[in-house]
Amino acid sequence: MEQVQRLASICTLQDEVVPFSTFGVGKSRPTNNVTVLAPSIDSAAIDRTTSKEISSAGKWPGLLERVRGAAHYIREVEDRAQEQELRVQEILEQVQADMQEASAKVQDAEQRARDVQVHASKLIQAAEERANMAEKRAAVAEAWLIQISQTIETEFVIEPAVPKQTGTISK
């Protein structure tokens, strides 16, 4: 609030009528006058402001050096951030390449597994077919063996052997 009052006292405006030609706009004087608002001059306020500016003028080189230091620091931070961003981009690209390579390997392994499964299925089916054929041949052979056995038993009747009598004298 104190600063507002001080500024108000420095910048109090007063009306002053100045002819239009005073501004060098034209040679003929118009009938209208221009109202110029100008701050009133308070010499004590000017002296205080001037002495403050003079005493703070010694601070400008230090302030300028701090601004330069801050700007240098900001550039360094931006450079590091840019380097890190580039590194992150490189890592991201490498990860993407690794993922594509891994995906290709997985697809290749899956394809080989499908191929092995198809081949195994074919081998199993062929083995089952051979087993079925062997079972059929065994059944046919068994049927023939049964017929042969029955034929032998019916066609070749073997009577039990009777003891022959020889010319022996009996007493």
Side-chain angles (χ1 to χ4, degrees):
M1 185 69 170
E2 185 179 315
Q3 289 177 341
V4 172
Q5 290 174 345
R6 193 170 60 98
L7 287 174
S9 68
I10 292 173
C11 294
T12 53
L13 300 177
Q14 61 185 17
D15 290 342
E16 184 178 323
V17 178
V18 179
F20 194 67
S21 63
T22 305
F23 295 105
V25 174
K27 292 185 179 181
S28 63
R29 182 178 175 151
T31 56
N32 295 340
N33 289 331
V34 175
T35 302
V36 176
L37 302 174
S40 64
I41 299 175
D42 182 5
S43 62
I46 291 175
D47 289 341
R48 282 192 306 262
T49 305
T50 306
S51 65
K52 285 180 184 177
E53 287 176 359
I54 292 172
S55 67
S56 67
K59 297 177 184 178
W60 287 108
L63 178 62
L64 184 61
E65 189 59 35
R66 281 185 280 181
V67 168
R68 284 185 182 145
H72 180 71
Y73 178 76
I74 289 171
R75 280 192 301 274
E76 287 179 352
V77 168
E78 287 176 349
D79 290 343
R80 283 194 305 262
Q82 189 175 19
E83 288 172 5
Q84 288 176 349
E85 187 176 322
L86 289 173
R87 180 67 182 136
V88 166
Q89 186 65 30
E90 289 173 358
I91 291 171
L92 178 63
E93 290 171 0
Q94 183 63 42
V95 167
Q96 287 173 341
D98 291 347
M99 287 179 64
Q100 288 174 350
E101 183 180 342
S103 177
K105 286 181 180 179
V106 166
Q107 289 176 353
D108 185 46
E110 288 174 347
Q111 183 61 42
R112 282 184 295 187
R114 284 191 295 271
D115 292 346
V116 166
Q117 187 176 11
V118 167
H119 184 68
S121 294
K122 287 180 181 178
L123 290 175
I124 291 170
Q125 185 178 3
E128 287 175 350
E129 288 174 4
R130 285 193 307 268
N132 288 336
M133 293 294 284
E135 286 176 2
K136 287 179 184 177
R137 284 194 310 263
V140 169
E142 187 177 353
W144 278 108
L145 285 175
I146 291 172
Q147 275 185 329
I148 292 172
S149 173
Q150 288 174 351
T151 303
I152 290 174
E153 286 177 8
T154 57
E155 295 296 323
F156 296 102
V157 178
I158 302 179
E159 293 183 19
V162 181
K164 287 187 178 181
Q165 292 190 355
T166 59
T168 58
I169 303 180
S170 40
K171 295 189 188 183

